[in-house]
Amino acid sequence: MREQILVVDDEAEIADLVGLYLQNEGFAVCKCHTAAEALESLAREQISLAVLDVMLPDMDGFALCRQIRQSHLFPILMLTARVEDMDKITGLSLGADDYMTKPFNPLELVARVKALLRRYYRYDGQEKPAGQEELQVRGLYISRTGHRCSLNGKELSLTPTEFGILWYLCARRGQVVPSEELFEAVWKEKYLDNNNTVMVHIARLREKMQEPPRRPQYIKTVWGVGYTIE
């Protein structure tokens, strides 16, 4: 069965263009022009990844992203015509996995979609991982085989990106992992200066783990270097 990509953009020309490039790469595409249409499609279709425009006529893409994350873990790629860093931080903090600014290169978008899906299958247990498959750190349990994570017996609902970050840190317990290394290991892209993507995802992870921001018990910040789990 082909992976189906949900494309949500109120500009029909952009939705058609994105859909055409994705279909040329073998994906099935479900195109919607409003958030309401997208939610209806999610209820009846098996979606593997969503491409969401921020500016929609009935609900902005951030709100739609938040609503999707209440029940779905598949990757989300946000599109926006705005270039402010705050838009990127907002999208990532609500559970988006990646972000592109319009105008964009359709070939780059397809490459991002493929990279997100590879990471999703890798951390969602749909590919058999090599090496160690389960880790435990002081009440924190994480398993790659079933994309399961729990803290003191309570299940944590993590996106593939969040899961990838936590697994990478747990696998290197006691080591300080630089932000650059963490980004390149999880996102499979070159780290650029002033990239706060890792910081936003770490903050979201701490929130899900109910960690106090100033005195976290698990994911600790080593200022100017990176992150560690002791």
Side-chain angles (χ1 to χ4, degrees):
M1 183 177 178
R2 292 190 300 169
E3 292 129 321
Q4 182 160 220
I5 311 300
L6 176 66
V7 177
V8 188
D9 198 305
D10 64 335
E11 296 183 65
E13 296 84 357
I14 293 180
D16 289 343
L17 179 65
V18 171
L20 178 62
Y21 273 82
L22 290 171
Q23 287 168 340
N24 286 342
E25 292 296 319
F27 295 108
V29 177
C30 177
K31 291 181 290 186
C32 300
H33 303 303
T34 66
E37 291 176 6
L39 293 172
E40 290 175 4
S41 295
L42 283 170
R44 65 174 185 268
E45 303 287 348
Q46 188 70 32
I47 301 298
S48 300
L49 179 145
V51 178
L52 308 181
D53 184 27
V54 169
M55 302 300 290
L56 296 172
D58 54 343
M59 177 192 299
D60 69 47
F62 298 136
L64 178 57
C65 177
R66 183 192 298 113
Q67 195 157 336
I68 290 174
R69 275 288 172 254
Q70 292 176 3
S71 53
H72 298 282
L73 291 174
F74 55 69
I76 296 176
L77 171 63
M78 303 291 295
L79 297 178
T80 182
R82 300 181 295 191
V83 297
E84 290 85 352
D85 284 344
M86 187 54 64
D87 284 345
K88 179 176 181 179
I89 292 172
T90 299
L92 295 174
S93 67
L94 292 174
D97 297 276
D98 204 352
Y99 188 97
M100 292 187 71
T101 303
K102 297 178 180 179
F104 55 86
N105 184 330
L107 291 175
E108 181 184 354
L109 184 143
V110 171
R112 297 276 190 100
V113 165
K114 289 181 176 180
L116 287 170
L117 287 172
R118 282 196 301 271
R119 188 161 72 242
Y120 178 58
Y121 294 140
R122 177 183 176 191
Y123 292 120
D124 197 42
Q126 298 183 46
E127 288 184 2
K128 185 172 179 57
Q132 194 170 9
E133 300 176 9
E134 297 181 355
L135 296 170
Q136 295 192 54
V137 180
R138 294 182 287 109
L140 176 64
Y141 168 81
I142 184 167
S143 168
R144 287 199 295 182
T145 53
H147 186 81
R148 291 185 56 243
C149 183
S150 63
L151 181 59
N152 297 322
K154 182 179 179 181
E155 290 287 329
L156 299 179
S157 179
L158 304 181
T159 68
T161 302
E162 293 162 353
F163 189 95
I165 291 171
L166 191 57
W167 176 271
Y168 197 85
L169 291 174
C170 286
R172 289 152 185 79
R173 180 181 181 183
Q175 303 176 31
V176 178
V177 179
S179 299
E180 296 91 334
E181 176 185 337
L182 189 56
F183 180 87
E184 292 179 4
V186 175
W187 275 264
K188 305 299 181 186
E189 296 179 13
K190 185 67 178 175
Y191 182 89
L192 301 177
D193 290 339
N194 301 319
N195 189 330
N196 49 28
T197 302
V198 172
M199 178 188 68
V200 173
H201 278 83
I202 291 288
R204 186 168 173 82
L205 259 175
R206 285 173 173 159
E207 181 181 340
K208 289 187 175 183
M209 296 169 71
Q210 297 184 343
E211 288 261 76
R214 295 185 179 277
R215 303 189 67 179
Q217 299 300 307
Y218 288 91
I219 305 175
K220 299 186 178 181
T221 302
V222 180
W223 295 108
V225 183
Y227 302 93
T228 185
I229 289 183
E230 300 175 346

